[in-house]
Amino acid sequence: MRTWLAAAWAALMVAGAAQAQEVTLKGITSFAEKTFYSRAFEKFIDKVNADGKGLVQINYIGGPKAMPPFEVGKALAGGVVDIANVTGAFYTNVMPEADAWKLTERPMSELRKNGGFDYMAKLYDEKMNAIYLARQIGNTPFHVYLTKPIFKPDLTGLKIRITPVYRDFFTALGATVVQTAPGEVYTALERGVVDGYGWPTAGIFDLGWHEKTKFRVDPGFYTAEVSFLINKTTWGKLDAAQRKVIADAAALIEAESAAFEAAANTADIERQKQVGIQTIELKGADGEAYLAKAYEAGWAGIIKQSPEHGPKLREFFAKAK
Ligand code: 173
């Protein structure tokens, strides 16, 4: 009897030690809830919460109503939130190099092999106490959207809403730039504070900007980036099974991103046309000069912000010339 009890007790203890308690992580998005750039994150959370029953759950705190987008990077670094959906342009105050993701001309699958991803991962570790999980947006260009037409690659005399993504390029094109979070774009357009804004191909319908937009400038430039990050201290406390739930869900989102983005971009270009947004196409030499200036100004800006890492990132990210 004694031996039996002792054995049963010992078995229970072992089971208890092996089975970690379910952990709940705080998740935040820097884009409005249920809008395009939050959608894949919401899908990721649903998957983690389904696959992670008894192991790990994410409590979705929400978007900019819960926390201003430009504060998400600091909150993640400090562990105020555990997991975030955010673009590098929103946390250049913590890690200026993150804005360089916009300049990648190779797919993430290649960057994960050529050393570029590892180089960035080290910066996330050192500068942000963070682990980079997945890039959910990496196949969508940015555009200039306008309320007034232009006829050449020149924004002189126009006031354009920006984030750090567009600052160097639009300034090089002669624009006067005004930085705002996405949540302030509609009002800025409505009040005539700006004559246009930078934004990727998809998503202008989410916050009603199509009502105030007359023109989209093509070609698109750069490659928009939105990614999932997790606080490193949080990650360090998870066991292998908990980490696997998160890493698998994240990998699935990154693998699906190209198709997910292509469908949204095609649909939104069509919808923009339907609502009367005209395309200003910079053709031939004008288009080439526009794109060349975009990358030249973009890299010059990154290298100025980070003379130590900028040139190295350019080697990994830029297309072989
Ligand atoms: O324009 C923006 O707010 C911005 O920088 C961005 C970046 C990635 C996706 C969507 C918007």
Side-chain angles (χ1 to χ4, degrees), residues 62 86 169 174-176:
V86 63
F169 180 36
T176 301

Side-chain angles (χ1 to χ4, degrees), residues 132-152:
Y132 185 101
L133 291 171
R135 182 166 181 173
Q136 65 120 325
I137 298 291
N139 305 273
T140 300
F142 294 99
H143 299 264
V144 184
Y145 294 89
L146 296 169
T147 59
K148 299 168 181 167
I150 56 167
F151 303 96
K152 50 188 169 62

Side-chain angles (χ1 to χ4, degrees), residues 31 37 87 89-90 137 142 161-166 180-182 198-200 224-226:
F31 294 92
Y37 295 99
T87 182
F90 292 174
I137 298 291
F142 294 99
R161 173 270 172 185
I162 57 150
T163 67
V165 163
Y166 323 93
T180 83
W199 194 255
E225 170 270 331
V226 182

Side-chain angles (χ1 to χ4, degrees), residues 303-317:
I303 291 165
K304 191 167 164 220
Q305 292 289 317
S306 182
E308 187 187 352
H309 303 295
K312 198 75 198 153
L313 291 172
R314 187 177 197 164
E315 282 175 36
F316 288 123
F317 289 179

Side-chain angles (χ1 to χ4, degrees), residues 22-85:
E22 184 181 274
V23 171
T24 300
L25 307 179
K26 280 190 218 143
I28 189 104
T29 173
S30 55
F31 294 92
E33 277 176 72
K34 297 199 163 68
T35 62
F36 180 68
Y37 295 99
S38 290
R39 204 157 295 149
F41 186 57
E42 289 160 355
K43 189 177 166 191
F44 163 79
I45 291 175
D46 288 345
K47 183 158 172 58
V48 168
N49 289 349
D51 297 350
K53 287 207 169 65
L55 290 172
V56 59
Q57 298 285 292
I58 299 173
N59 174 21
Y60 187 29
I61 293 168
K65 283 193 190 121
M67 182 180 288
F70 291 97
E71 287 173 25
V72 167
K74 258 202 182 102
L76 183 93
V80 173
V81 294
D82 299 299
I83 205 158
N85 177 56

